[in-house]
């Protein structure tokens, strides 16, 4: 199973991505999706601008997706991350994990999101409604801490 990884400016259609992944497949018993959306930050955010290094970002997301596919038995995996200017309510990221059983799909999707937040080379800049100075979003300690639960145990 080769994960599908795309980084694109255009919006994605969640239902179409699920349909493409599961078309003609009767072996899949579970599909778990995660969609990350742009928040309005209490009405103060006009848009979130996401920048990335083309090539580097795809390679890192592919490494994360490949690791998920090694850890869990998956029958399909799609990761789409948008870049550019995204308005509140807009889609930012989509993870679709398919497996025979729900546990693997849930775990793989959760793993991917934890590591996308910390390892994928994207930078976020907030643009406010009032037009005041835009600012870059700092990494969060909580996001780094979340990845700790996935460390492989040395048994």
């Amino acid at each position: 199973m080769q994960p599908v990884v795309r980084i694109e400016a255009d919006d994605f259609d969640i239902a179409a991505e699920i349909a493409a992944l599961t078309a003609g497949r009767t072996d899949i018993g579970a599909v778990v999706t995660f969609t990350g959306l742009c928040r309005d930050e209490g009405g103060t955010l006009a848009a979130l601008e996401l920048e990335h290094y083309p090539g580097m970002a795809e390679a890192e997301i592919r490494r994360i997706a490949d690791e998920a596919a090694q850890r869990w038995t998956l029958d399909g995996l799609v990761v789409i991350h948008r870049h550019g200017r995204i308005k509140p309510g807009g889609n930012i990221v989509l993870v679709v994990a398919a497996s025979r059983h729900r546990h693997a799909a849930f775990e793989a999707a959760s793993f991917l999101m934890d590591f996308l937040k910390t390892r994928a080379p994207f930078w976020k800049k907030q643009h406010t409604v009032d037009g005041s100075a835009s600012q870059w979003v700092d990494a969060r300690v909580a996001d780094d801490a979340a990845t700790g639960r996935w460390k492989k145990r040395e048994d």
Side-chain angles (χ1 to χ4, degrees):
M1 188 269 323
Q2 277 286 60
V4 173
V5 173
R6 295 194 323 257
I7 297 176
E8 53 199 31
D10 294 332
D11 199 3
F12 47 79
D13 180 329
I14 300 163
E17 295 298 335
I18 295 168
L21 183 63
T22 60
R25 302 284 305 270
T26 57
D27 58 327
I28 294 173
V31 174
V32 171
T33 63
F34 174 86
T35 307
L37 306 172
C38 180
R39 293 183 303 272
D40 71 359
E41 300 297 346
T44 63
L45 188 71
L48 185 65
E49 186 175 349
L50 288 104
E51 294 185 7
H52 73 295
Y53 282 123
M56 179 192 288
E58 290 91 345
E60 186 57 31
I61 292 173
R62 181 159 307 284
R63 276 192 285 279
I64 297 165
D66 287 343
E67 186 172 343
Q70 289 172 0
R71 286 177 175 237
W72 294 279
T73 303
L74 300 176
D75 296 306
L77 184 59
V78 175
V79 182
I80 303 171
H81 205 301
R82 292 183 62 203
H83 66 88
R85 198 173 178 107
I86 301 171
K87 293 184 177 182
N91 295 317
I92 297 173
V93 63
L94 175 66
V95 172
V96 183
S99 63
R100 295 182 194 287
H101 303 284
R102 68 181 189 296
H103 180 76
F106 273 114
E107 291 290 299
S110 186
F111 171 88
L112 272 155
M113 283 313 305
D114 283 346
F115 280 91
L116 285 175
K117 293 285 287 182
T118 58
R119 286 190 8 209
F122 285 89
W123 296 269
K124 300 175 189 174
K125 186 182 238 182
Q126 293 180 324
H127 298 280
T128 58
V129 171
D130 66 9
S132 63
S134 300
Q135 64 185 56
W136 293 102
V137 177
D138 291 328
R140 295 178 2 172
V141 173
D143 291 333
D144 287 327
T147 62
R149 71 184 174 126
W150 302 109
K151 290 191 186 213
K152 291 184 180 179
R153 293 186 181 154
E154 305 294 327
D155 293 328

